[in-house]
Amino acid sequence: WKIYSWAVEKNRIESSLLKAGIKKSDYFTRNGKQFKLTDEFLEEEAADIVRNNIPNYDYVSDFVQATRKLPLGNFVSFPAEIARTGVNIVRRALREINETITLPDGTVITPFKGIGYTRLFGFTTTVAAVPLGTAAAFQALYDVTDEEREAIRRFAAQWSKNSTLLPIKDKETGDFKYIDFSHANAYDTLLRPLQTVVNSVQDGNQDNDGMMDDFAKGVITSMKEFAS
C-alpha cells in the first residue's frame, strides 16, 4: 500500500507541474528556494507524503509503546498514528491549496490546489463515511429500524451517548445489544476538528497556521476523551 501510494503521489505531483507548464529539468522557486523538476525531486516529495500521511508503527513513540504494558488496554499505537497522520494530512492539504510557485519569468502559480482539495475532502469523506456506512450495514444486517436504533441510544451507557453505535438484534428473542464503534474507531477522534477545517476552507479562509492551531487543539481534546 505504501509503494502504491508513493507511485500515485509521484504521478499526481508530476502531472500537476506539467499541467502548469513546468517541464522536466525546468527550474522554479518554492518557499524562497530554487528547485529543478527531476525524478529525484518527485520521488522525495512522494516519499515525504507517504512517510507522514500513512500510519507507520516505526514512528510510534516510546511513551505510547510503553502504555501497552499498563493494565489500560493495548489499543494505543493505531490511534496514536491516526492522530499523527491525520494532523499531517490536513497540514499537507492546506499547504497544497495555498502554496504558490514562481516560474523563471515571474509568473506565480498554485499547481497543487486541486490535489489539496482532493486530499482534504477525500479524507473528510473517509473519516465521516466509515462510521456511517458501518452503522447502516449493521442496521440492514440485523433488521433494526431507525426508531429502534434511537431507543438503544437512550439506554446506552453514559460514555456511549454520543458514540456511533452498531445495533445488534437477536432475531429470536428481539433483545438488543450494541457495539460502541467510536471506541474502536480511531478516526472518530478527528471528525469534529476536521469538519471545522473544511468549513473554514469553504469560507475562503487562507490562514493555514490559524486553522492548524484550531485543528490541533480539537485533536488533543478528542484524544483526551479517547484516553478517558
Side-chain angles (χ1 to χ4, degrees):
W1 175 247
K2 290 184 177 71
I3 294 171
Y4 170 78
S5 298
W6 176 83
V8 169
E9 294 291 356
K10 179 176 177 289
N11 183 65
R12 287 206 299 182
I13 295 168
E14 182 175 12
S15 298
S16 297
L17 292 174
L18 291 176
K19 188 176 180 181
I22 303 176
K23 302 184 293 295
K24 282 287 186 69
S25 299
D26 283 356
Y27 287 91
F28 57 90
T29 302
R30 178 192 194 191
N31 301 323
K33 295 181 179 180
Q34 192 175 61
F35 292 89
K36 183 179 180 181
L37 182 54
T38 62
D39 285 333
E40 184 179 2
F41 170 81
L42 296 170
E43 290 167 1
E44 285 294 332
E45 281 291 302
D48 182 70
I49 294 172
V50 171
R51 187 162 48 241
N52 292 303
N53 291 12
I54 295 180
N56 186 334
Y57 291 127
D58 287 336
Y59 288 114
V60 177
S61 69
D62 292 338
F63 172 78
V64 172
Q65 292 186 41
T67 59
R68 291 187 297 190
K69 300 177 182 179
L70 300 175
L72 302 173
N74 54 15
F75 187 64
V76 289
S77 294
F78 183 65
E81 271 301 278
I82 292 303
R84 182 185 74 87
T85 56
V87 170
N88 288 337
I89 289 171
V90 173
R91 179 183 289 114
R92 179 83 191 192
L94 292 177
R95 172 181 143 190
E96 289 168 334
I97 291 171
N98 296 304
E99 185 175 39
T100 59
I101 283 179
T102 305
L103 304 182
D105 63 1
T107 304
V108 178
I109 58 174
T110 54
F112 305 127
K113 180 173 286 189
I115 296 178
Y117 280 121
T118 300
R119 193 182 307 282
L120 181 61
F121 294 124
F123 184 52
T124 305
T125 300
T126 300
V127 171
V130 167
L132 290 177
T134 306
F138 267 71
Q139 268 191 260
L141 183 63
Y142 290 98
D143 193 24
V144 176
T145 66
D146 291 340
E147 291 79 7
E148 289 172 330
R149 184 195 63 204
E150 291 308 311
I152 292 173
R153 185 176 300 280
R154 289 201 301 271
F155 290 97
Q158 187 63 38
W159 55 83
S160 295
K161 292 290 186 184
N162 298 319
S163 298
T164 298
L165 302 182
L166 307 182
I168 298 175
K169 181 166 68 173
D170 189 312
K171 294 184 178 181
E172 293 183 1
T173 64
D175 293 338
F176 290 98
K177 294 187 293 185
Y178 68 86
I179 296 172
D180 185 343
F181 185 66
S182 294
H183 179 67
N185 177 28
Y187 285 102
D188 193 77
T189 60
L190 303 178
L191 186 54
R192 288 181 190 172
L194 181 56
Q195 191 59 54
T196 301
V197 172
V198 171
N199 293 341
S200 295
V201 170
Q202 290 177 330
D203 289 340
N205 189 348
Q206 295 184 348
D207 181 11
N208 288 8
D209 292 337
M211 285 189 283
M212 279 308 305
D213 287 343
D214 292 341
F215 180 71
K217 289 177 183 176
V219 172
I220 291 172
T221 300
S222 297
M223 291 304 289
K224 285 181 179 178
E225 293 177 358
F226 178 83
S228 298

